[in-house]
Amino acid sequence: MDPIRRCVTQLSRLPGIGEKTAQRLTWWLLRAPDDLVRELAESLAELKAAVKECSQCHTIAASDPCPICADPRRDPAMICVVERPQDISAVERSGEYHGLYHVLHGAISPLDGVGPEQLRLRSLIQRAASVTEVIVATDPDVEGDATALYIARALKPAGVKVSRLAHGVAVGTEIEYADRVSLMRALENRRAL
Amino acid sequence: MDPIRRCVTQLSRLPGIGEKTAQRLTWWLLRAPDDLVRELAESLAELKAAVKECSQCHTIAASDPCPICADPRRDPAMICVVERPQDISAVERSGEYHGLYHVLHGAISPLDGVGPEQLRLRSLIQRAASVTEVIVATDPDVEGDATALYIARALKPAGVKVSRLAHGVAVGTEIEYADRVSLMRALENRRAL
């Protein structure tokens, strides 16, 4: 196949990149410095080979244990449970959390055929036996709620404290434009001043 | 550098792809089949090495002469002049043109320091000596107009017919939403029914 055509085809397999965008990117790459294109190709080629699943928290990282699990400054008495590895970056950006993580790789969703067995829940229950608090940071949707409830019930016998991220109006949102469900949650979770 | 971080950085160097999109693409690639990621990386790695500039029409292609210049069924008496290699695909899609092409690799733009010497104009004048018609398909903007005028003047001594693509209201456009300049051109170029 023609190398230009081939590049367009491959790029258009990416999510959110249609035929037109793939063409635009390909012609941009043809005019870009050789180094830039080579570095991009190399970073893609090495991406999958260079990463593994952390045997403790199940995130995807270059090392096992991952940098966070291996960091002695992290508080080993707290576990923050997230659905996806990329959720860790979001929590880390808050700068407020210094414990460990646990990546479920999904959320309970009977309609999609995802039950507790398909998630990394068994190892969470094992890890939770030696911590004081588990913070559930699953998405604020039906699947995330069901998963949080399942975790709370599963960890009850161990006597570990289970909490969930507060939901409410996002900071910076004008009340006028806040969505109905966030406002409902914000009212439920109102705090005395 | 962390391979995930590295891939995000490389992808965000592409035009129109910001940090957030690069992260989304990287995590999508981490979950995608190995084959898909390998084929994408290979097609990028081979892109620049596998293409060259056609010595006749100056397009970018896998062979020199390019497939169109090498095709004996194309009419060698006509040359369609375009600014960029990707413009050839657009003209080909019309299915109305069966001659050869000439890629200028730009348009005359004094403000950007692009004069006739920076474009593939000298070889166009040489090629035009042996054809009957040159169709100028530069963009309908100031630079494209200036370039078309320059070509018409430069080819006058050779006595070759020089024409330009008709401009007007794009097919499928509602008159209500047509832009002012296209409507002006459409009125100028109106045809008797």
Side-chain angles (χ1 to χ4, degrees):
Chain A
M1 197 198 259
D2 174 72
I4 299 171
R5 187 69 235 146
R6 187 180 165 212
C7 190
V8 172
T9 306
Q10 292 299 326
L11 284 171
S12 59
R13 293 169 81 180
L14 296 174
I17 295 191
E19 176 84 10
K20 288 244 172 178
T21 306
Q23 278 182 15
R24 191 171 54 80
L25 288 174
T26 301
W27 284 106
W28 185 89
L29 287 166
L30 280 165
R31 298 171 67 100
D34 284 1
D35 277 6
L36 186 148
V37 184
R38 190 174 39 74
E39 284 167 20
L40 173 62
E42 282 175 8
S43 72
L44 289 169
E46 287 170 21
L47 181 64
K48 300 274 265 196
V51 298
K52 40 186 94 57
E53 187 174 318
C54 173
S55 56
Q56 289 180 47
C57 75
H58 305 294
T59 194
I60 305 296
S63 55
D64 177 20
C66 73
I68 291 177
C69 286
D71 186 344
R73 289 164 303 179
R74 307 291 302 206
D75 179 359
M78 292 186 92
I79 291 178
C80 176
V81 180
V82 294
E83 293 184 19
R84 294 163 295 263
Q86 55 266 49
D87 297 337
I88 294 180
S89 317
V91 178
E92 286 292 292
R93 276 196 296 274
S94 78
E96 287 290 318
Y97 182 72
H98 308 288
L100 302 177
Y101 290 93
H102 192 91
V103 180
L104 296 175
H105 287 279
I108 294 172
S109 175
L111 284 176
D112 300 317
V114 181
E117 319 74 43
Q118 274 78 49
L119 304 175
R120 309 294 193 280
L121 277 165
R122 195 190 302 262
S123 60
L124 172 64
I125 295 166
Q126 284 165 4
R127 291 181 75 197
S130 56
V131 302
T132 54
E133 183 170 357
V134 169
I135 302 175
V136 182
T138 50
D139 286 342
D141 54 20
V142 177
E143 293 80 14
D145 290 349
T147 309
L149 206 63
Y150 181 94
I151 291 170
R153 285 193 189 141
L155 298 185
K156 200 154 202 178
V160 56
K161 186 180 166 194
V162 179
S163 62
R164 185 138 190 238
L165 286 193
H167 300 310
V169 178
V171 178
T173 306
E174 292 179 54
I175 298 294
E176 181 179 355
Y177 301 113
D179 68 288
R180 197 178 60 87
V181 181
S182 296
L183 265 176
M184 278 167 53
R185 297 284 190 106
L187 284 166
E188 280 166 22
N189 301 324
R190 66 187 181 279
R191 296 172 56 181
L193 292 174
Chain B
M1 196 198 261
D2 175 73
I4 299 172
R5 188 65 237 151
R6 186 179 165 212
C7 190
V8 171
T9 306
Q10 292 299 325
L11 284 171
S12 59
R13 294 170 79 179
L14 296 173
I17 296 192
E19 175 84 9
K20 287 243 172 176
T21 306
Q23 278 182 12
R24 191 173 53 82
L25 288 174
T26 301
W27 284 107
W28 185 89
L29 288 165
L30 280 166
R31 298 171 67 99
D34 285 0
D35 277 6
L36 186 148
V37 184
R38 190 172 40 73
E39 284 167 21
L40 172 62
E42 281 176 9
S43 72
L44 289 168
E46 286 171 21
L47 181 64
K48 301 273 267 196
V51 298
K52 38 185 94 63
E53 185 173 320
C54 173
S55 56
Q56 289 181 47
C57 76
H58 304 296
T59 194
I60 304 295
S63 55
D64 177 21
C66 73
I68 291 177
C69 285
D71 186 345
R73 290 164 302 177
R74 307 292 300 209
D75 180 358
M78 292 187 92
I79 291 178
C80 176
V81 180
V82 292
E83 294 184 19
R84 294 163 295 262
Q86 55 266 48
D87 297 337
I88 293 179
S89 316
V91 178
E92 286 293 290
R93 275 196 297 273
S94 78
E96 287 290 318
Y97 181 73
H98 308 289
L100 302 178
Y101 290 93
H102 192 90
V103 180
L104 297 175
H105 288 279
I108 294 171
S109 174
L111 283 176
D112 299 318
V114 181
E117 319 75 43
Q118 274 79 49
L119 304 176
R120 309 293 194 280
L121 278 165
R122 196 190 301 262
S123 61
L124 173 63
I125 295 167
Q126 286 166 2
R127 291 181 74 196
S130 57
V131 303
T132 55
E133 184 171 355
V134 169
I135 302 174
V136 182
T138 49
D139 285 343
D141 54 20
V142 177
E143 292 80 14
D145 291 349
T147 310
L149 206 64
Y150 181 95
I151 291 170
R153 286 193 188 141
L155 298 185
K156 200 155 203 178
V160 56
K161 184 181 168 195
V162 179
S163 61
R164 186 138 191 239
L165 286 193
H167 300 310
V169 178
V171 178
T173 306
E174 292 179 54
I175 299 294
E176 180 180 354
Y177 301 112
D179 68 289
R180 198 178 60 89
V181 180
S182 296
L183 265 176
M184 277 167 52
R185 299 283 191 107
L187 285 165
E188 280 166 21
N189 302 324
R190 66 189 181 277
R191 296 173 55 181
L193 292 173

